[in-house]
Amino acid sequence: MTSRKHDVANAVEPAKKSSISPADPCTIVIFGASGDLSRRKLVPALYGLAAQNCLARRFAIIGFARTPMTDEAFQQSAVDSVKKFADASTANEGQCKEFAHALAYVAGEYHHPEAFEKLKSRLEELDRAHKLNGNRLFYLATPPEVYPLIIEQLHKAGLAKHPNGKSWVRIVIEKPYGRDLASAQKLNQIVVKSFDEPQVYRIDHYLGKDTVQNLLVLRFGNGIFEPLWNRNYVDHVQITAAETLGVEQRAAFYETAGATRDMIQSHVLQLTSLVAMEPPAAFDATAVRNEKIKILQSIRPFTEESIKSDIVRGQYGPGSTPGNTSLLTGYRKEPGVKPNSTTETYVAAKVQIDNWRWAGVPFYVRTGKRLPNRVTEIAIQFRRAPHLVFRGQNLSTNTLALNIQPDEGISISFHAKLPGQEMKLKTVTMDFSYQKEFGGGERSAYATLINDCMRGDATLFDRADGVEAAWALVNPILESFEAHKPRFPNYAAGTWGPHEADKLLERDDRHWRKP
Ligand code: NDP
Ligand code: BG6
């Protein structure tokens, strides 16, 4: 198994040319290859890896879906998605055509064993033709209801185990991993019947973002932050994952999910774990995942009472965004949404971590669609200076803000003396910008994670117990939401969510940062 230490050392170099050794020759099978994720993210990410020599010289990609398509049609759709969605710095007509030649397509129904036999023969044929050594990566990018069937069919077709002693077979499972604790446990049981845990890569694309990984580098690669990273110096933490987009064309999925399942259970709790975890013994899958799960287990479980007081949910109504005054449709009028839908598009919560490092330090988290800015930010708000030497000055507290996206960077605010005779202070910031320091062309989160999977590094993927611990936390929230019908809509599109979310902090004498 390769170590991520190597990766982190290279993370400081511009991403134009990777110095990571290429992965083993292998075949990547994408289930749901005709879909949105495959087109917008997976195929462009695989092309980016090929263009950066991170794929082995010999590789093959098989798209599998029900839609009938020839190899050529799939190759053409791949060229189109590379042109549209791949990182411009890797765009190269010749390379793109060469990449497309490695693509094949198998059409089939998931409940037909013959379809998996067809897939198996195609795999064997490509294995022989390109000497791929039987290494296989299966990527589940269908709606989640289909995952159990695909896993069982792979098992029955004898595709879940490696075909020879020197090869590997791995499976990447997209989020959402279940829709509550019981279904996640059931899925884990189905998975382990066919695959061994080290073969399973449960993906959360947030962990592939360079800025999310940089949070670990900031904390554990520097000597100056970690001593302050605790209840003695930190007043509270704010985590915001705000989107300007509405539900777009994903109502069929979103109506059954909502913001709690879609964002809190996965991305927001992942960020919370990384901010709060103890230093791992090493940067490897076991050590990092052991520390992350301890945080999920230390978060105070939500009760009916604390859900009422510490969680705010919302749904957007019609409104407009600051840059665009035309009226945006309310959620209930979006295509495919029920006119009386009670699905939440916004959640804010006060999360308490009951351990020695964080006792008494609230983590306020929020996420929502149709908010004024697209921004994902982690803000560490430090305590006030214990004694105010500069009388008459109204001093704010120091903030360390990690901007995960879109203006990737880190800034720290502190006070400086204004020039002049008088002792007047002003809050200033020291900024580090990814764009300014390293230029553009950062690697997509999907490229990082697929590459890690091909190299057998599961550090940035979730373990079965991690997924279940996250569901265990949100399960009571989902049950309570189900039992108590909300008064929706309760925030206008283009605003920062319901007023109750402001009150969540105001009652603690705090305020949301303006990201
Ligand atoms: P799509 O709805 O586009 O579905 C992908 C493909 O699955 C479709 O093209 C379709 O292909 C097939 N499919 C659809 N319904 C069924 C069904 N009932 N039975 C069998 N196959 C079906 O999904 P996405 O591509 O958006 O997402 C795929 C997975 O990735 C989902 O689990 C999603 O939650 C997850 N995900 C998606 C993200 C995104 O940005 N899109 C982001 C993060 C996670 P065909 O009809 O040809 O078989
Ligand atoms: C996905 C959610 O996992 O993450 C989407 O299903 C959300 O609803 C998306 O829009 C946000 O990802 P990113 O990388 O754009 O912040």
Side-chain angles (χ1 to χ4, degrees):
M1 189 175 285
T2 43
S3 159
R4 286 201 65 81
K5 278 178 195 153
H6 186 60
D7 242 9
V8 170
N10 284 316
V12 295
E13 293 176 9
K16 295 266 184 294
K17 206 156 190 110
S18 169
S19 47
I20 300 171
S21 50
D24 298 333
C26 71
T27 311
I28 299 131
V29 181
I30 304 174
F31 291 103
S34 58
D36 176 74
L37 182 70
S38 172
R39 197 168 47 86
R40 280 193 313 115
K41 303 284 183 182
L42 305 183
V43 169
L46 286 163
Y47 166 74
L49 287 172
Q52 293 178 335
N53 296 325
C54 291
L55 286 188
R57 281 195 162 276
R58 303 191 308 275
F59 69 93
I61 297 168
I62 302 181
F64 184 108
R66 299 169 307 176
T67 306
M69 223 188 301
T70 58
D71 284 353
E72 291 71 25
F74 184 53
Q75 290 169 354
Q76 186 53 51
S77 80
V79 170
D80 295 343
S81 46
V82 166
K83 280 191 186 145
K84 194 156 175 204
F85 299 111
D87 177 359
S89 69
T90 58
N92 174 315
E93 189 94 8
Q95 242 171 350
C96 185
K97 279 201 179 130
E98 199 183 320
F99 168 76
H101 274 133
L103 270 64
Y105 186 81
V106 174
E109 293 285 341
Y110 293 98
H111 57 275
H112 286 168
E114 310 85 79
F116 284 77
E117 287 305 325
K118 198 160 77 179
L119 173 64
K120 190 176 182 179
S121 343
R122 201 74 203 266
L123 275 165
E124 288 167 353
E125 179 194 314
L126 290 169
D127 253 2
R128 276 193 303 274
H130 303 291
K131 300 193 178 61
L132 301 174
N133 193 34
N135 296 324
R136 288 158 192 179
L137 188 163
F138 296 111
Y139 198 118
L140 305 196
T142 61
E145 326 58 281
V146 195
Y147 298 167
L149 186 55
I150 299 176
I151 292 163
E152 279 165 22
Q153 294 285 26
L154 286 172
H155 175 69
K156 282 190 190 147
L159 288 168
K161 295 288 171 242
H162 50 76
N164 68 61
K166 286 191 187 147
S167 59
W168 50 258
V169 172
R170 298 182 187 131
I171 184 163
V172 178
I173 304 181
E174 256 301 340
K175 74 174 268 284
Y177 196 90
R179 51 171 287 105
D180 53 18
L181 178 58
S183 56
Q185 285 169 331
K186 195 164 170 219
L187 182 55
N188 275 333
Q189 284 159 10
I190 292 169
V191 169
V192 296
K193 272 191 202 151
S194 304
F195 293 89
D196 297 328
E197 177 65 25
Q199 291 180 279
V200 185
Y201 289 69
R202 297 171 190 80
I203 197 166
D204 180 321
H205 76 275
Y206 262 54
L207 293 180
K209 292 180 193 275
D210 275 334
T211 42
V212 172
Q213 293 170 58
N214 191 50
L215 168 57
L216 296 181
V217 177
L218 178 91
R219 288 192 59 194
F220 308 131
N222 296 292
I224 58 172
F225 298 110
E226 206 46 26
L228 307 178
W229 211 265
N230 58 57
R231 63 194 301 275
N232 297 324
Y233 298 97
V234 177
D235 177 72
H236 71 280
V237 176
Q238 295 187 15
I239 299 180
T240 297
E243 298 183 83
T244 48
L245 290 180
V247 68
E248 305 293 294
Q249 308 310 316
R250 297 177 71 213
F253 158 72
Y254 202 80
E255 275 284 272
T256 62
T260 314
R261 286 190 175 89
D262 189 36
M263 294 293 290
I264 300 281
Q265 186 275 340
S266 49
H267 308 323
V268 173
L269 283 178
Q270 289 288 353
L271 295 180
T272 307
S273 310
L274 294 178
V275 175
M277 69 194 254
E278 293 301 314
F283 196 49
D284 65 34
T286 306
V288 170
R289 300 193 293 187
N290 282 350
E291 294 307 334
K292 275 170 53 193
I293 196 170
K294 283 186 210 158
I295 292 301
L296 296 176
Q297 289 164 341
S298 307
I299 292 178
R300 190 178 303 169
F302 285 98
T303 59
E304 194 53 57
E305 211 167 296
S306 66
I307 290 168
K308 265 194 211 129
S309 60
D310 293 351
I311 296 192
V312 174
R313 60 178 152 158
Q315 184 192 76
Y316 62 84
S320 58
T321 48
N324 179 359
T325 47
S326 53
L327 190 71
L328 294 165
T329 317
Y331 179 73
R332 288 178 173 183
K333 291 249 165 75
E334 298 274 22
V337 171
K338 285 192 238 81
N340 56 352
S341 169
T342 54
T343 302
E344 78 284 0
T345 59
Y346 176 99
V347 182
K350 177 177 174 180
V351 175
Q352 319 242 31
I353 302 176
D354 291 331
N355 67 12
W356 277 58
R357 187 186 280 263
W358 295 114
V361 179
F363 281 53
Y364 300 100
V365 304
R366 61 177 165 168
T367 183
K369 293 204 183 280
R370 281 277 188 249
L371 301 186
N373 293 340
R374 175 179 181 247
V375 61
T376 303
E377 185 196 76
I378 298 167
I380 314 292
Q381 299 279 4
F382 289 94
R383 288 184 186 281
R384 271 178 202 291
H387 171 63
L388 291 181
V389 177
F390 305 104
R391 295 211 184 106
Q393 304 279 340
N394 189 14
L395 296 185
S396 55
T397 53
N398 304 108
T399 306
L400 177 67
L402 293 102
N403 197 330
I404 304 297
Q405 60 188 21
D407 300 323
E408 291 90 348
I410 298 175
S411 78
I412 182 153
S413 72
F414 55 95
H415 304 109
K417 182 187 172 301
L418 278 168
Q421 191 142 16
E422 276 183 88
M423 179 53 81
K424 277 207 163 169
L425 309 192
K426 182 176 186 278
T427 304
V428 293
T429 57
M430 232 158 41
D431 297 313
F432 152 68
S433 151
Y434 259 80
Q435 174 70 30
K436 281 194 195 134
E437 186 68 30
F438 302 129
E442 102 265 23
R443 194 145 89 146
S444 91
Y446 281 94
T448 299
L449 294 171
I450 293 171
N451 192 236
D452 278 3
C453 177
M454 287 190 294
R455 294 184 308 116
D457 184 348
T459 310
L460 300 176
F461 292 82
D462 231 348
R463 220 164 44 189
D465 54 353
V467 181
E468 289 182 17
W471 277 119
L473 274 171
V474 302
N475 229 42
I477 306 173
L478 297 171
E479 284 168 5
S480 168
F481 283 1
E482 194 59 39
H484 305 99
K485 295 298 167 206
R487 285 205 190 142
F488 281 167
N490 60 350
Y491 72 98
T495 65
W496 278 107
H499 292 307
E500 287 69 27
D502 296 333
K503 291 191 200 140
L504 193 66
L505 274 75
E506 283 162 12
R507 67 166 199 227
D508 295 344
D509 213 10
R510 296 174 177 124
H511 299 276
W512 289 111
R513 253 172 71 79
K514 267 209 186 107

